[in-house]
Amino acid sequence: FFFSSRRRHTRSSLVSWARRCVQETGINAEYMGNIIEPNMKENFILTVETCKECKLHGWNTRHNEEKYNKFLHLMSDVLKTEIESVEILHNEIPIDWIDYSQFKKRIIQCDGIKASINPYIGAFEIWDEGNLLFSKLSSKIWPSCKIVGAKIKEYY
């Protein structure tokens, strides 16, 4: 006879993985990216990189492009109220950010002022001059717009 414990054996299964990934929608300092020191700028340019054309990769993901756009607008509204002189670019970077390694291989088109980038699948990333301020890919959670906005305001 083989005896088994009453405990479910889900340590290595996807169920266990999913349980470990469930977190609050808050944000930890470790997911605020590579912010090194406070930066006193007059004009801010932030790039919000979001997943796009989700129907094209829908065969292996459950992305809803409307959800990405909803969070983009919510985050834009919060950032514009928190920081007065912020310009928010969506899947675009200023021309002087082109040489940053994070964007170099993902540039689709350049018009001399801004360059369009090809976002990563599942991305909701907030960038400032090559510094990652928030990453949905790293944190595996959607951002809490108010908390992320307040954290970004602290540093600027």
Side-chain angles (χ1 to χ4, degrees):
F1 285 92
F2 292 99
F3 295 99
S4 65
S5 69
R6 296 177 61 84
R7 187 172 159 262
R8 291 180 58 186
H9 297 285
T10 58
R11 277 185 200 261
S12 62
S13 72
L14 293 176
V15 174
S16 180
W17 176 83
R19 285 184 189 144
R20 286 193 306 268
C21 289
V22 174
Q23 299 176 4
E24 290 183 24
T25 58
I27 186 165
N28 297 333
E30 66 186 87
Y31 295 125
M32 283 305 291
N34 300 331
I35 298 175
I36 297 168
E37 57 187 54
N39 197 353
M40 302 307 287
K41 297 180 185 178
E42 289 184 16
N43 296 323
F44 299 102
I45 298 176
L46 297 176
T47 292
V48 179
E49 175 185 348
T50 65
C51 188
K52 67 177 186 177
E53 299 173 351
C54 296
K55 290 180 183 177
L56 296 179
H57 53 265
W59 62 272
N60 67 343
T61 63
R62 295 181 187 161
H63 294 173
N64 182 354
E65 196 165 349
E66 292 173 12
K67 186 172 184 178
Y68 286 90
N69 290 331
K70 176 185 141 191
F71 270 91
L72 170 69
H73 293 298
L74 287 172
M75 186 62 71
S76 296
D77 291 343
V78 168
L79 289 172
K80 287 177 182 177
T81 57
E82 293 287 336
I83 305 169
E84 295 175 13
S85 59
V86 69
E87 180 183 355
I88 298 171
L89 303 177
H90 179 227
N91 291 337
E92 294 181 322
I93 57 171
I95 197 74
D96 51 338
W97 294 10
I98 283 183
D99 291 329
Y100 292 123
S101 62
Q102 297 90 328
F103 308 116
K104 208 171 206 172
K105 294 181 181 178
R106 300 189 295 135
I107 294 175
I108 301 171
Q109 171 181 11
C110 184
D111 67 3
I113 299 171
K114 298 176 187 170
S116 297
I117 59 170
N118 190 20
Y120 291 115
I121 292 176
F124 192 92
E125 321 294 293
I126 302 174
W127 296 90
D128 174 38
E129 291 187 33
N131 292 323
L132 184 59
L133 304 179
F134 175 81
S135 173
K136 177 185 166 281
L137 293 175
S138 295
S139 64
K140 295 183 176 68
I141 58 173
W142 284 95
S144 169
C145 296
K146 290 181 181 179
I147 294 173
V148 172
K151 291 285 186 185
I152 291 173
K153 183 181 178 182
E154 279 180 28
Y155 288 97
Y156 298 105

